[in-house]
Amino acid sequence: MLAIYFILYIIAFIVNSFIYKKKLNSVNIIISLWCIASILSMFGFYGMFIPNTTTYIYILIFLITFEIFSFIFYKVIKKGEIKKETTKEETKEKKLEEDINWKLMNVAMIICIIIMAYFAFIGLKILLTEGGLSSVRDAWLGKEIANTKVQLLLSIVVFSLGTAIGIYSVLEYVEHKKIKVSLILYFIFLLEIIFATATRGKIVYFAGIIVIALLDKYENNLKGLIKENKKIIIFLAIMFLIVFIVTLQRNLSGGGFLYNIYAYFIGSIHLLGQYLKQPETYLLTSQNYLYGQVLISGFVYPITFIMRLFGMKIMAGIYIVNEVTQKYIPVSNVTTMNNNVTFLYSALRDFGVLGLIIYPMILAFFLMKFYNKKEKEKTLYSKAMYDFFLINAIFLLFDFKFSDPSTIWTFLFIYIFYKLTPNKIKEIKSKMIEITKLREKK
C-alpha cells in the first residue's frame, strides 16, 4: 500500500504541475496533505493503531475521483468562459468591486467585539482561577460559558461575520499593503475567541488564509514573498507562537508538542481506521445512510434548530453524525480522540462508498468554479471566496467543514459585504428607480 500511495502521489503531482502551470496549486496541496498523512499513519508512530486496508482504499477512491474531476471541471469551466480583452467598462466594474465598505465592516466588527467581550471575560476568569486553557475549553464544551442556543447564535452570526471581515481585511493588506482598522479589530476579536473557547481553529484558519493569499499573489515565488513581506512573516510567527502556547496548555495525554501535532494532524486517519474496523458500531452500514442530509447540513441546520425549539423532532444530518463522532474512542493505548474523523465519515454516512465519489465531485466543481472566477476577475471578493473555500477544503482532513453552518454563513457574509459596497448600493438604487419609472409609464 505504501508503494501504491507513493507512486500515485508522484504521478499526480507531476500531472497537476503541468495542468495548472505551477507546482504549488490547490489540487496538489490537497492531495499532498492526504497522501503524506496517510503514509505517516502506516507506520503507527507513537503507538497509534494502524488503519486497515479498507481505510487506505477509501482514501484512494476519494483522491483519484478528486483528481479526475478537478481536471474535467477546470477545462469545462474555463472553456465556458467568454475569452475577450478587458474593455474600459469591465475595468471600471472591477474598480467598483474593489470599493469595499470598510466603515460598515468596522461597525460590524466592533459589535462582534462587544458581544464576545462578555464571554471572553468569563473564560479569562476561569483561566486565571483554574490556571489553564484546558479548563476554559472544558467549560466551553460543558456549556458553562454559554449554553447551546447561545453557542449556535455566536457560531452562525458573530463568528461567521467576524471571519468574513477578517478575510477581506487580510486580503486588502496582502494585495495593497494597507492595514485597515478592521484588521486590527479582527485580531482583538481573535484574542477574545481564544479566551472564551480556548480553540486554535480560528487562528489556524486566519494564518492559512494569509499563507494562501501570499502564495497566490507571488505565484509561489517564495524568495520574493519573504523579501517583500517581512512584517507578515513576523505576524505569522506570532500566530504560530500563540497556537504553540494553546497546544501546550491543552496538552493531549501529556505527550509533548510534537506528539500533539502528530495526533491532531495525522490522528484523524487513525480515528477513521478505528471507525471502519467496526462499521456496525459506528453506523457505517446501508441501514444507516442519511442520503445527503450531512451534505446540506450547513444550509438547513439553523432551520432545523428553530423547528426543534418549537418541539418538532427533527435533526440536521451533522447533528446525527455528531451523536457518534463526539464519543471518545482509543486510537492508541494511551490516547482517545473524537470528532476529527475526516470528511470521509460524512460521505460514507450519506451515501456509503458512492459518497466517496459524490463528495469529491462536488468539491472539485466548486474549487474549480471559484478558482477560475478568481483568475478571471482578480477582485477582493473573488479572492475571498476562493481562499476561504480552499482553506476549508484543506481541513477536510479533519472533518466535513462545509456541513458547519458557520462556514456557509461566512460565505454568505462575504457575498453580502460585496453587495453592500457604496457603488453597488448606488447601482441597486438606480435599478430600482428605473423599474419604478417603467411601472409609472405603464
Side-chain angles (χ1 to χ4, degrees):
M1 192 59 71
L2 177 63
I4 293 173
Y5 264 80
F6 186 76
I7 293 170
L8 286 177
Y9 172 60
I10 296 299
I11 294 173
F13 191 90
I14 294 172
V15 170
N16 292 330
S17 300
F18 175 76
I19 293 172
Y20 306 105
K21 306 296 188 296
K22 53 185 177 183
K23 294 179 181 178
L24 203 57
N25 56 73
S26 57
V27 180
N28 267 348
I29 290 172
I30 293 171
I31 288 181
S32 294
L33 287 172
W34 278 85
C35 283
I36 292 172
S38 297
I39 290 172
L40 287 175
S41 70
M42 294 177 189
F43 294 94
F45 292 119
Y46 297 107
M48 289 202 176
F49 307 134
I50 298 175
N52 56 20
T53 303
T54 302
T55 305
Y56 296 112
I57 291 175
Y58 282 0
I59 293 173
L60 282 177
I61 293 173
F62 150 61
L63 292 176
I64 293 170
T65 304
F66 175 69
E67 172 73 24
I68 293 172
F69 280 96
S70 291
F71 171 72
I72 292 173
F73 289 132
Y74 172 72
K75 290 296 182 181
V76 170
I77 294 171
K78 190 174 183 180
K79 187 177 180 181
E81 294 175 348
I82 300 173
K83 296 179 181 180
K84 59 180 180 179
E85 293 183 2
T86 303
T87 63
K88 293 182 180 179
E89 192 63 32
E90 287 175 324
T91 303
K92 180 182 177 183
E93 179 64 22
K94 286 183 179 181
K95 288 182 179 178
L96 293 182
E97 292 177 344
E98 293 289 326
D99 188 18
I100 302 298
N101 197 332
W102 295 108
K103 290 183 179 179
L104 178 62
M105 285 191 180
N106 291 341
V107 172
M109 196 73 260
I110 289 172
I111 293 173
C112 289
I113 289 173
I114 292 172
I115 293 172
M116 282 305 301
Y118 171 75
F119 304 102
F121 176 76
I122 296 175
L124 185 59
K125 190 176 178 181
I126 294 172
L127 177 64
L128 294 175
T129 55
E130 300 187 25
L133 285 172
S134 291
S135 300
V136 178
R137 188 61 179 169
D138 291 339
W140 176 261
L141 295 176
K143 318 302 181 196
E144 295 175 33
I145 296 176
N147 61 40
T148 302
K149 296 175 185 177
V150 173
Q151 284 189 10
L152 179 64
L153 288 173
L154 289 175
S155 177
I156 292 177
V157 181
V158 180
F159 292 175
S160 303
L161 180 59
T163 300
I165 296 170
I167 292 171
Y168 270 118
S169 303
V170 166
L171 292 176
E172 174 69 12
Y173 180 74
V174 170
E175 293 296 322
H176 307 117
K177 292 293 187 293
K178 294 179 181 178
I179 299 178
K180 295 292 183 180
V181 174
S182 57
L183 182 60
I184 299 172
L185 292 174
Y186 181 66
F187 190 66
I188 296 172
F189 179 67
L190 274 181
L191 290 176
E192 288 184 328
I193 290 178
I194 294 172
F195 289 133
T197 68
T199 182
R200 293 155 295 193
K202 297 294 180 185
I203 306 173
V204 175
Y205 262 57
F206 188 42
I209 292 289
I210 295 174
V211 172
I212 291 171
L214 286 171
L215 291 174
D216 187 44
K217 180 181 178 180
Y218 290 88
E219 298 183 345
N220 304 329
N221 180 5
L222 296 180
K223 186 177 180 180
L225 187 158
I226 295 172
K227 185 178 180 181
E228 297 179 24
N229 296 277
K230 293 179 181 177
K231 291 181 180 178
I232 299 181
I233 301 300
I234 294 173
F235 182 67
L236 284 171
I238 293 172
M239 295 187 76
F240 174 77
L241 180 62
I242 293 173
V243 173
F244 178 76
I245 293 171
V246 174
T247 299
L248 288 180
Q249 287 283 312
R250 287 176 53 192
N251 197 13
L252 185 66
S253 301
F257 182 72
L258 290 179
Y259 176 79
N260 275 264
I261 292 297
Y262 179 87
Y264 285 116
F265 284 92
I266 316 299
S268 57
I269 304 292
H270 291 285
L271 186 58
L272 177 64
Q274 292 303 101
Y275 277 57
L276 291 175
K277 285 177 182 177
Q278 305 175 65
E280 292 81 12
T281 303
Y282 299 106
L283 308 181
L284 288 172
T285 56
S286 58
Q287 294 83 5
N288 297 292
Y289 289 169
L290 297 174
Y291 300 103
Q293 290 184 57
V294 186
L295 192 61
I296 62 172
S297 285
F299 299 94
V300 304
Y301 191 98
I303 300 172
T304 57
F305 184 82
I306 293 172
M307 293 172 73
R308 288 174 62 203
L309 292 179
F310 289 94
M312 298 183 69
K313 295 182 179 180
I314 184 172
M315 291 190 295
I318 187 60
Y319 190 86
I320 298 171
V321 165
N322 285 344
E323 288 186 331
V324 177
T325 61
Q326 285 179 351
K327 297 174 183 177
Y328 281 89
I329 68 169
V331 291
S332 76
N333 290 326
V334 296
T335 304
T336 58
M337 288 182 62
N338 71 337
N339 288 329
N340 291 350
V341 67
T342 81
F343 88 104
L344 296 183
Y345 179 74
S346 295
L348 290 167
R349 280 299 303 271
D350 258 346
F351 306 107
V353 177
L354 188 60
L356 304 178
I357 297 174
I358 294 174
Y359 268 60
M361 279 177 60
I362 296 172
L363 172 65
F365 172 78
F366 282 104
L367 181 64
M368 291 301 115
K369 185 72 176 177
F370 288 131
Y371 174 77
N372 279 284
K373 185 178 180 64
K374 184 262 302 182
E375 289 295 297
K376 181 183 177 183
E377 297 180 357
K378 296 188 182 299
T379 60
L380 284 183
Y381 167 67
S382 61
K383 288 176 183 293
M385 293 293 277
Y386 169 74
D387 289 357
F388 186 61
F389 187 89
L390 179 56
I391 193 68
N392 279 286
I394 288 172
F395 278 87
L396 290 174
L397 181 63
F398 302 100
D399 59 21
F400 188 51
K401 298 297 180 181
F402 297 106
S403 65
D404 187 338
S406 65
T407 301
I408 302 303
W409 278 70
T410 300
F411 280 112
L412 180 60
F413 281 125
I414 291 173
Y415 177 76
I416 289 173
F417 280 121
Y418 161 66
K419 284 297 182 180
L420 291 180
T421 58
N423 284 292
K424 282 290 180 183
I425 293 174
K426 290 179 183 178
E427 187 181 316
I428 293 171
K429 287 182 178 179
S430 178
K431 287 181 179 179
M432 292 299 292
I433 292 171
E434 288 179 10
I435 292 171
T436 303
K437 289 180 178 179
L438 287 172
R439 287 177 178 175
E440 289 176 351
K441 287 181 180 180
K442 290 181 179 180

PDB file of all heavy atoms in Angstrom, residues 245-268:
ATOM      1  N   ILE A 245       1.415  27.891  22.293  1.00  0.00           N
ATOM      2  CA  ILE A 245       1.066  28.066  23.706  1.00  0.00           C
ATOM      3  C   ILE A 245      -0.259  27.381  24.022  1.00  0.00           C
ATOM      4  O   ILE A 245      -0.389  26.683  25.035  1.00  0.00           O
ATOM      5  CB  ILE A 245       0.997  29.569  24.062  1.00  0.00           C
ATOM      6  CG1 ILE A 245       2.400  30.194  23.970  1.00  0.00           C
ATOM      7  CG2 ILE A 245       0.420  29.764  25.469  1.00  0.00           C
ATOM      8  CD1 ILE A 245       2.408  31.700  24.085  1.00  0.00           C
ATOM      9  N   VAL A 246      -1.247  27.586  23.128  1.00  0.00           N
ATOM     10  CA  VAL A 246      -2.560  26.968  23.333  1.00  0.00           C
ATOM     11  C   VAL A 246      -2.435  25.450  23.318  1.00  0.00           C
ATOM     12  O   VAL A 246      -3.057  24.747  24.126  1.00  0.00           O
ATOM     13  CB  VAL A 246      -3.577  27.427  22.260  1.00  0.00           C
ATOM     14  CG1 VAL A 246      -4.891  26.662  22.396  1.00  0.00           C
ATOM     15  CG2 VAL A 246      -3.827  28.922  22.383  1.00  0.00           C
ATOM     16  N   THR A 247      -1.609  24.925  22.418  1.00  0.00           N
ATOM     17  CA  THR A 247      -1.408  23.476  22.313  1.00  0.00           C
ATOM     18  C   THR A 247      -0.774  22.913  23.575  1.00  0.00           C
ATOM     19  O   THR A 247      -1.181  21.863  24.085  1.00  0.00           O
ATOM     20  CB  THR A 247      -0.515  23.137  21.097  1.00  0.00           C
ATOM     21  OG1 THR A 247      -1.156  23.596  19.904  1.00  0.00           O
ATOM     22  CG2 THR A 247      -0.297  21.641  20.973  1.00  0.00           C
ATOM     23  N   LEU A 248       0.213  23.634  24.106  1.00  0.00           N
ATOM     24  CA  LEU A 248       0.852  23.182  25.346  1.00  0.00           C
ATOM     25  C   LEU A 248      -0.129  23.215  26.509  1.00  0.00           C
ATOM     26  O   LEU A 248      -0.121  22.341  27.373  1.00  0.00           O
ATOM     27  CB  LEU A 248       2.063  24.067  25.662  1.00  0.00           C
ATOM     28  CG  LEU A 248       3.294  23.900  24.770  1.00  0.00           C
ATOM     29  CD1 LEU A 248       4.404  24.847  25.210  1.00  0.00           C
ATOM     30  CD2 LEU A 248       3.794  22.454  24.768  1.00  0.00           C
ATOM     31  N   GLN A 249      -0.999  24.248  26.514  1.00  0.00           N
ATOM     32  CA  GLN A 249      -1.994  24.378  27.572  1.00  0.00           C
ATOM     33  C   GLN A 249      -3.022  23.254  27.501  1.00  0.00           C
ATOM     34  O   GLN A 249      -3.542  22.816  28.521  1.00  0.00           O
ATOM     35  CB  GLN A 249      -2.701  25.734  27.457  1.00  0.00           C
ATOM     36  CG  GLN A 249      -1.857  26.915  27.884  1.00  0.00           C
ATOM     37  CD  GLN A 249      -1.774  27.022  29.393  1.00  0.00           C
ATOM     38  OE1 GLN A 249      -2.772  26.954  30.091  1.00  0.00           O
ATOM     39  NE2 GLN A 249      -0.563  27.168  29.904  1.00  0.00           N
ATOM     40  N   ARG A 250      -3.322  22.829  26.251  1.00  0.00           N
ATOM     41  CA  ARG A 250      -4.304  21.763  26.061  1.00  0.00           C
ATOM     42  C   ARG A 250      -3.602  20.453  25.701  1.00  0.00           C
ATOM     43  O   ARG A 250      -4.013  19.711  24.833  1.00  0.00           O
ATOM     44  CB  ARG A 250      -5.278  22.151  24.936  1.00  0.00           C
ATOM     45  CG  ARG A 250      -6.263  23.226  25.319  1.00  0.00           C
ATOM     46  CD  ARG A 250      -7.113  23.615  24.147  1.00  0.00           C
ATOM     47  NE  ARG A 250      -7.729  22.447  23.540  1.00  0.00           N
ATOM     48  CZ  ARG A 250      -8.349  22.455  22.369  1.00  0.00           C
ATOM     49  NH1 ARG A 250      -8.422  23.565  21.668  1.00  0.00           N
ATOM     50  NH2 ARG A 250      -8.886  21.361  21.877  1.00  0.00           N
ATOM     51  N   ASN A 251      -2.510  20.184  26.370  1.00  0.00           N
ATOM     52  CA  ASN A 251      -1.668  19.022  26.090  1.00  0.00           C
ATOM     53  C   ASN A 251      -2.471  17.723  26.073  1.00  0.00           C
ATOM     54  O   ASN A 251      -3.193  17.412  27.008  1.00  0.00           O
ATOM     55  CB  ASN A 251      -0.559  18.931  27.145  1.00  0.00           C
ATOM     56  CG  ASN A 251       0.565  18.027  26.695  1.00  0.00           C
ATOM     57  OD1 ASN A 251       0.653  17.660  25.527  1.00  0.00           O
ATOM     58  ND2 ASN A 251       1.427  17.680  27.629  1.00  0.00           N
ATOM     59  N   LEU A 252      -2.347  16.966  24.988  1.00  0.00           N
ATOM     60  CA  LEU A 252      -3.091  15.713  24.810  1.00  0.00           C
ATOM     61  C   LEU A 252      -2.296  14.540  25.384  1.00  0.00           C
ATOM     62  O   LEU A 252      -1.199  14.234  24.926  1.00  0.00           O
ATOM     63  CB  LEU A 252      -3.343  15.484  23.315  1.00  0.00           C
ATOM     64  CG  LEU A 252      -4.199  14.299  22.913  1.00  0.00           C
ATOM     65  CD1 LEU A 252      -5.633  14.471  23.379  1.00  0.00           C
ATOM     66  CD2 LEU A 252      -4.155  14.118  21.397  1.00  0.00           C
ATOM     67  N   SER A 253      -2.840  13.934  26.419  1.00  0.00           N
ATOM     68  CA  SER A 253      -2.234  12.745  27.041  1.00  0.00           C
ATOM     69  C   SER A 253      -0.823  12.996  27.559  1.00  0.00           C
ATOM     70  O   SER A 253      -0.058  12.071  27.761  1.00  0.00           O
ATOM     71  CB  SER A 253      -2.211  11.581  26.033  1.00  0.00           C
ATOM     72  OG  SER A 253      -3.514  11.275  25.614  1.00  0.00           O
ATOM     73  N   GLY A 254      -0.469  14.274  27.743  1.00  0.00           N
ATOM     74  CA  GLY A 254       0.856  14.592  28.280  1.00  0.00           C
ATOM     75  C   GLY A 254       1.985  14.172  27.368  1.00  0.00           C
ATOM     76  O   GLY A 254       3.097  13.937  27.828  1.00  0.00           O
ATOM     77  N   GLY A 255       1.731  14.113  26.052  1.00  0.00           N
ATOM     78  CA  GLY A 255       2.730  13.590  25.136  1.00  0.00           C
ATOM     79  C   GLY A 255       3.704  14.584  24.565  1.00  0.00           C
ATOM     80  O   GLY A 255       4.561  14.230  23.764  1.00  0.00           O
ATOM     81  N   GLY A 256       3.594  15.876  24.907  1.00  0.00           N
ATOM     82  CA  GLY A 256       4.510  16.870  24.374  1.00  0.00           C
ATOM     83  C   GLY A 256       4.010  17.477  23.075  1.00  0.00           C
ATOM     84  O   GLY A 256       3.026  17.031  22.480  1.00  0.00           O
ATOM     85  N   PHE A 257       4.721  18.526  22.629  1.00  0.00           N
ATOM     86  CA  PHE A 257       4.262  19.311  21.482  1.00  0.00           C
ATOM     87  C   PHE A 257       4.231  18.487  20.191  1.00  0.00           C
ATOM     88  O   PHE A 257       3.231  18.504  19.461  1.00  0.00           O
ATOM     89  CB  PHE A 257       5.168  20.532  21.293  1.00  0.00           C
ATOM     90  CG  PHE A 257       4.740  21.419  20.152  1.00  0.00           C
ATOM     91  CD1 PHE A 257       3.587  22.198  20.266  1.00  0.00           C
ATOM     92  CD2 PHE A 257       5.473  21.463  18.976  1.00  0.00           C
ATOM     93  CE1 PHE A 257       3.178  23.014  19.215  1.00  0.00           C
ATOM     94  CE2 PHE A 257       5.073  22.277  17.932  1.00  0.00           C
ATOM     95  CZ  PHE A 257       3.923  23.056  18.055  1.00  0.00           C
ATOM     96  N   LEU A 258       5.318  17.776  19.868  1.00  0.00           N
ATOM     97  CA  LEU A 258       5.376  17.006  18.618  1.00  0.00           C
ATOM     98  C   LEU A 258       4.313  15.911  18.596  1.00  0.00           C
ATOM     99  O   LEU A 258       3.699  15.642  17.555  1.00  0.00           O
ATOM    100  CB  LEU A 258       6.774  16.398  18.435  1.00  0.00           C
ATOM    101  CG  LEU A 258       7.902  17.391  18.126  1.00  0.00           C
ATOM    102  CD1 LEU A 258       9.229  16.652  17.984  1.00  0.00           C
ATOM    103  CD2 LEU A 258       7.603  18.159  16.830  1.00  0.00           C
ATOM    104  N   TYR A 259       4.103  15.289  19.734  1.00  0.00           N
ATOM    105  CA  TYR A 259       3.070  14.253  19.827  1.00  0.00           C
ATOM    106  C   TYR A 259       1.697  14.847  19.548  1.00  0.00           C
ATOM    107  O   TYR A 259       0.871  14.260  18.851  1.00  0.00           O
ATOM    108  CB  TYR A 259       3.101  13.617  21.215  1.00  0.00           C
ATOM    109  CG  TYR A 259       2.007  12.602  21.429  1.00  0.00           C
ATOM    110  CD1 TYR A 259       2.122  11.322  20.906  1.00  0.00           C
ATOM    111  CD2 TYR A 259       0.856  12.929  22.147  1.00  0.00           C
ATOM    112  CE1 TYR A 259       1.122  10.374  21.093  1.00  0.00           C
ATOM    113  CE2 TYR A 259      -0.151  11.990  22.341  1.00  0.00           C
ATOM    114  CZ  TYR A 259      -0.014  10.719  21.813  1.00  0.00           C
ATOM    115  OH  TYR A 259      -0.997   9.796  21.994  1.00  0.00           O
ATOM    116  N   ASN A 260       1.458  16.039  20.099  1.00  0.00           N
ATOM    117  CA  ASN A 260       0.181  16.715  19.884  1.00  0.00           C
ATOM    118  C   ASN A 260      -0.017  17.078  18.416  1.00  0.00           C
ATOM    119  O   ASN A 260      -1.100  16.907  17.863  1.00  0.00           O
ATOM    120  CB  ASN A 260       0.103  17.979  20.747  1.00  0.00           C
ATOM    121  CG  ASN A 260      -0.378  17.686  22.156  1.00  0.00           C
ATOM    122  OD1 ASN A 260      -1.544  17.824  22.462  1.00  0.00           O
ATOM    123  ND2 ASN A 260       0.539  17.252  23.013  1.00  0.00           N
ATOM    124  N   ILE A 261       1.033  17.576  17.781  1.00  0.00           N
ATOM    125  CA  ILE A 261       0.955  17.934  16.358  1.00  0.00           C
ATOM    126  C   ILE A 261       0.615  16.699  15.531  1.00  0.00           C
ATOM    127  O   ILE A 261      -0.253  16.733  14.646  1.00  0.00           O
ATOM    128  CB  ILE A 261       2.292  18.543  15.874  1.00  0.00           C
ATOM    129  CG1 ILE A 261       2.529  19.901  16.530  1.00  0.00           C
ATOM    130  CG2 ILE A 261       2.290  18.689  14.356  1.00  0.00           C
ATOM    131  CD1 ILE A 261       1.503  20.962  16.182  1.00  0.00           C
ATOM    132  N   TYR A 262       1.311  15.585  15.821  1.00  0.00           N
ATOM    133  CA  TYR A 262       1.043  14.349  15.090  1.00  0.00           C
ATOM    134  C   TYR A 262      -0.388  13.876  15.326  1.00  0.00           C
ATOM    135  O   TYR A 262      -1.102  13.505  14.392  1.00  0.00           O
ATOM    136  CB  TYR A 262       2.025  13.250  15.517  1.00  0.00           C
ATOM    137  CG  TYR A 262       1.782  11.938  14.799  1.00  0.00           C
ATOM    138  CD1 TYR A 262       2.380  11.686  13.564  1.00  0.00           C
ATOM    139  CD2 TYR A 262       0.937  10.958  15.336  1.00  0.00           C
ATOM    140  CE1 TYR A 262       2.145  10.500  12.886  1.00  0.00           C
ATOM    141  CE2 TYR A 262       0.700   9.778  14.665  1.00  0.00           C
ATOM    142  CZ  TYR A 262       1.298   9.549  13.443  1.00  0.00           C
ATOM    143  OH  TYR A 262       1.042   8.370  12.767  1.00  0.00           O
ATOM    144  N   ALA A 263      -0.811  13.924  16.581  1.00  0.00           N
ATOM    145  CA  ALA A 263      -2.144  13.442  16.924  1.00  0.00           C
ATOM    146  C   ALA A 263      -3.228  14.254  16.230  1.00  0.00           C
ATOM    147  O   ALA A 263      -4.202  13.700  15.714  1.00  0.00           O
ATOM    148  CB  ALA A 263      -2.343  13.484  18.432  1.00  0.00           C
ATOM    149  N   TYR A 264      -3.069  15.559  16.182  1.00  0.00           N
ATOM    150  CA  TYR A 264      -4.095  16.408  15.601  1.00  0.00           C
ATOM    151  C   TYR A 264      -4.107  16.372  14.075  1.00  0.00           C
ATOM    152  O   TYR A 264      -5.165  16.495  13.457  1.00  0.00           O
ATOM    153  CB  TYR A 264      -3.928  17.849  16.095  1.00  0.00           C
ATOM    154  CG  TYR A 264      -4.378  18.035  17.521  1.00  0.00           C
ATOM    155  CD1 TYR A 264      -3.474  18.387  18.516  1.00  0.00           C
ATOM    156  CD2 TYR A 264      -5.707  17.829  17.892  1.00  0.00           C
ATOM    157  CE1 TYR A 264      -3.876  18.535  19.835  1.00  0.00           C
ATOM    158  CE2 TYR A 264      -6.124  17.972  19.208  1.00  0.00           C
ATOM    159  CZ  TYR A 264      -5.211  18.340  20.177  1.00  0.00           C
ATOM    160  OH  TYR A 264      -5.611  18.467  21.488  1.00  0.00           O
ATOM    161  N   PHE A 265      -2.940  16.238  13.463  1.00  0.00           N
ATOM    162  CA  PHE A 265      -2.885  16.273  12.007  1.00  0.00           C
ATOM    163  C   PHE A 265      -2.959  14.896  11.350  1.00  0.00           C
ATOM    164  O   PHE A 265      -3.468  14.750  10.247  1.00  0.00           O
ATOM    165  CB  PHE A 265      -1.612  17.003  11.535  1.00  0.00           C
ATOM    166  CG  PHE A 265      -1.703  18.492  11.676  1.00  0.00           C
ATOM    167  CD1 PHE A 265      -1.258  19.119  12.822  1.00  0.00           C
ATOM    168  CD2 PHE A 265      -2.249  19.269  10.665  1.00  0.00           C
ATOM    169  CE1 PHE A 265      -1.356  20.501  12.969  1.00  0.00           C
ATOM    170  CE2 PHE A 265      -2.355  20.648  10.793  1.00  0.00           C
ATOM    171  CZ  PHE A 265      -1.909  21.259  11.951  1.00  0.00           C
ATOM    172  N   ILE A 266      -2.451  13.874  12.007  1.00  0.00           N
ATOM    173  CA  ILE A 266      -2.467  12.527  11.436  1.00  0.00           C
ATOM    174  C   ILE A 266      -3.472  11.640  12.154  1.00  0.00           C
ATOM    175  O   ILE A 266      -3.945  10.648  11.615  1.00  0.00           O
ATOM    176  CB  ILE A 266      -1.052  11.868  11.511  1.00  0.00           C
ATOM    177  CG1 ILE A 266       0.032  12.859  11.089  1.00  0.00           C
ATOM    178  CG2 ILE A 266      -1.002  10.619  10.643  1.00  0.00           C
ATOM    179  CD1 ILE A 266      -0.103  13.356   9.660  1.00  0.00           C
ATOM    180  N   GLY A 267      -3.806  12.024  13.369  1.00  0.00           N
ATOM    181  CA  GLY A 267      -4.717  11.216  14.181  1.00  0.00           C
ATOM    182  C   GLY A 267      -6.063  10.970  13.541  1.00  0.00           C
ATOM    183  O   GLY A 267      -6.711   9.950  13.799  1.00  0.00           O
ATOM    184  N   SER A 268      -6.511  11.901  12.686  1.00  0.00           N
ATOM    185  CA  SER A 268      -7.813  11.735  12.023  1.00  0.00           C
ATOM    186  C   SER A 268      -7.842  10.490  11.145  1.00  0.00           C
ATOM    187  O   SER A 268      -8.874   9.822  11.025  1.00  0.00           O
ATOM    188  CB  SER A 268      -8.141  12.973  11.187  1.00  0.00           C
ATOM    189  OG  SER A 268      -7.126  13.227  10.235  1.00  0.00           O
TER     190      SER A 268
END
